[in-house]
Amino acid sequence: MSRAVSQRTGFTSLRKGGINFDSFPMRLFTKGNGRHWNPADIDLSQDAADVAAMTDDERWWTCSLAAQFMAGEESVTQDLQPFLAAMAAEGRLADEMYLTQFVYEEAKHTEAFRRWFDAVGITEDLHSYIADNEPYQQIFTKELPESLQTLAHDPSPRNQIRASVTYNHIVEGTLALTGYFSWQKICASRGILPGMQQIIKHIGDDERRHMAWGTFTCRRHVAADDALWDAVDERMQELLVPAMGVVTATFEGWDGPPPFDVDMNEMAEYAMDKVGRRLGAIETARGADLRVIDLDASPEALEERFHAEDAAQLQAVG
Ligand SMILES: [Fe+2]
Ligand SMILES: [Fe+2]
């Protein structure tokens, strides 16, 4: 039932049964609390030496990737907030609690990249790394903020699905994962940037819970109203071209062979492989019992399986 916070008449935590720790969002919350990490604890001194030893092209490519990540993490920190209010309005305290951790983790990811830039001595304005990347601008200054901010005035299930597909399945599930693949090419091929490697490992661990929550949220809406399955597919189709554009734009603006043996076709293929892989898990929720969906751990198991597959694939390129 929908209610404004200003009309609070009782407390979920005081009710009989209070908070269900077996519910999917509470399981994610508990897991995340056990995996706390602190960006300030990561030693970045070797990274500074490695960046200093790079050629200009290598340094540009590395900074471009880090700048895209950092601005992306800042964007998701801000843009998730209407989803917290939407969960509060629905009276879903467990989701609201989990999303406080989720948004905190995004803030921490932003912090980690900024600490890295400062530690390697790159302190000038970094906007030039994203200014000419039109698909990046479209996703991070238009599609992402607009679809999330819509929830502030209309948190309908359909709008929640459009927001989640944009945020969890495209930005996190496709762009960030393809970005890890780039980092693997840069770092592992030469055994450089140990601090960045640690940062990416921690971020990837947090992101698996984020994407699992996105799959869970789409599943519960599709289970409640079968007509919403079309909204998932529709939003995916709308974003496919700009998402692939984010992956290829840096290559298209580059003269000659890019550094670190990164390859546009390999990267695009990797991204394409990630785009649709959560759709099947959402589709299986059609017609499912909502009480089962709320306790079903399969979105989390799915991310762990994807992680194992990705790790094997990354190992092969490194
Ligand atoms: Fe993040
Ligand atoms: Fe995330």
Side-chain angles (χ1 to χ4, degrees):
M1 205 203 324
S2 178
R3 55 140 179 85
V5 172
S6 60
Q7 294 165 341
R8 178 178 292 132
T9 54
F11 299 86
T12 301
S13 58
L14 293 183
R15 282 187 200 133
K16 186 165 183 286
I19 294 167
N20 182 358
F21 287 99
D22 292 328
S23 71
F24 189 69
M26 287 315 296
R27 286 168 47 107
L28 291 178
F29 188 65
T30 305
K31 192 173 182 182
N33 281 338
R35 299 200 176 189
H36 181 264
W37 60 286
N38 182 1
D41 290 344
I42 295 175
D43 180 359
L44 299 170
S45 52
Q46 182 59 42
D47 290 52
D50 290 341
V51 169
M54 285 178 182
T55 65
D56 288 348
D57 282 358
E58 289 168 348
R59 193 176 308 110
W60 190 93
W61 200 273
T62 305
C63 287
S64 171
L65 182 60
Q68 288 186 41
F69 257 99
M70 184 162 67
E73 299 289 4
E74 177 181 329
S75 305
V76 294
T77 304
Q78 290 185 330
D79 293 341
L80 189 61
Q81 299 184 32
F83 233 137
L84 274 86
M87 294 302 96
E90 248 182 81
R92 293 186 65 90
L93 179 66
D95 287 274
E96 195 184 351
M97 287 171 71
Y98 174 62
L99 290 184
T100 63
Q101 183 187 75
F102 186 148
V103 75
Y104 160 66
E105 287 168 351
E106 300 299 14
K108 212 157 66 172
H109 301 170
T110 313
E111 175 198 359
F113 283 104
R114 189 63 252 182
R115 284 188 181 278
W116 184 85
F117 272 110
D118 291 350
V120 302
I122 294 173
T123 52
E124 71 265 21
D125 191 279
L126 300 167
H127 281 92
S128 62
Y129 288 107
I130 57 160
D132 299 330
N133 190 330
E134 275 175 36
Y136 187 93
Q137 296 284 344
Q138 185 186 341
I139 296 276
F140 289 98
T141 67
K142 188 176 180 304
E143 302 293 353
L144 180 72
E146 283 179 5
S147 62
L148 270 292
Q149 285 165 23
T150 296
L151 299 181
H153 56 87
D154 182 7
S156 67
R158 187 185 157 78
N159 285 341
Q160 287 187 34
I161 282 182
R162 290 180 62 82
S164 172
V165 168
T166 311
Y167 192 118
N168 304 115
H169 300 284
I170 293 291
V171 171
E172 296 183 323
T174 305
L175 298 182
L177 287 184
T178 307
Y180 305 156
F181 186 71
S182 290
W183 281 118
Q184 178 74 4
K185 297 279 274 192
I186 293 174
C187 302
S189 61
R190 308 193 180 165
I192 56 169
L193 309 179
M196 180 60 85
Q197 291 192 48
Q198 271 190 61
I199 290 170
I200 296 300
K201 193 172 172 296
H202 283 301
I203 288 179
D205 188 81
D206 292 344
E207 293 297 335
R208 287 201 288 287
R209 294 187 300 279
H210 301 178
M211 293 181 283
W213 183 83
T215 300
F216 163 78
T217 297
C218 290
R219 277 170 63 83
R220 79 178 171 83
H221 288 308
V222 166
D225 179 358
D226 197 61
L228 290 172
W229 166 244
D230 288 342
V232 176
D233 199 44
E234 178 194 86
R235 189 57 174 154
M236 276 287 183
Q237 296 304 326
E238 287 173 21
L239 296 175
L240 195 58
V241 170
M244 292 306 291
V246 174
V247 175
T248 57
T250 312
F251 291 91
E252 280 160 0
W254 189 263
D255 276 338
F260 302 111
D261 287 328
V262 285
D263 178 79
M264 185 172 85
N265 292 333
E266 185 185 33
M267 217 58 86
E269 222 172 90
Y270 191 86
M272 272 309 284
D273 179 54
K274 307 298 168 251
V275 168
R277 67 180 182 174
R278 288 169 192 83
L279 290 180
I282 299 171
E283 194 170 14
T284 59
R286 298 179 77 173
D289 183 339
L290 271 174
R291 285 165 304 184
V292 174
I293 295 270
D294 214 44
L295 301 176
D296 182 6
S298 66
E300 193 184 356
L302 185 72
E303 294 307 327
E304 294 303 329
R305 200 187 85 212
F306 287 157
H307 174 55
E309 290 171 7
D310 293 350
Q313 213 175 346
L314 293 182
Q315 202 71 40
V317 301

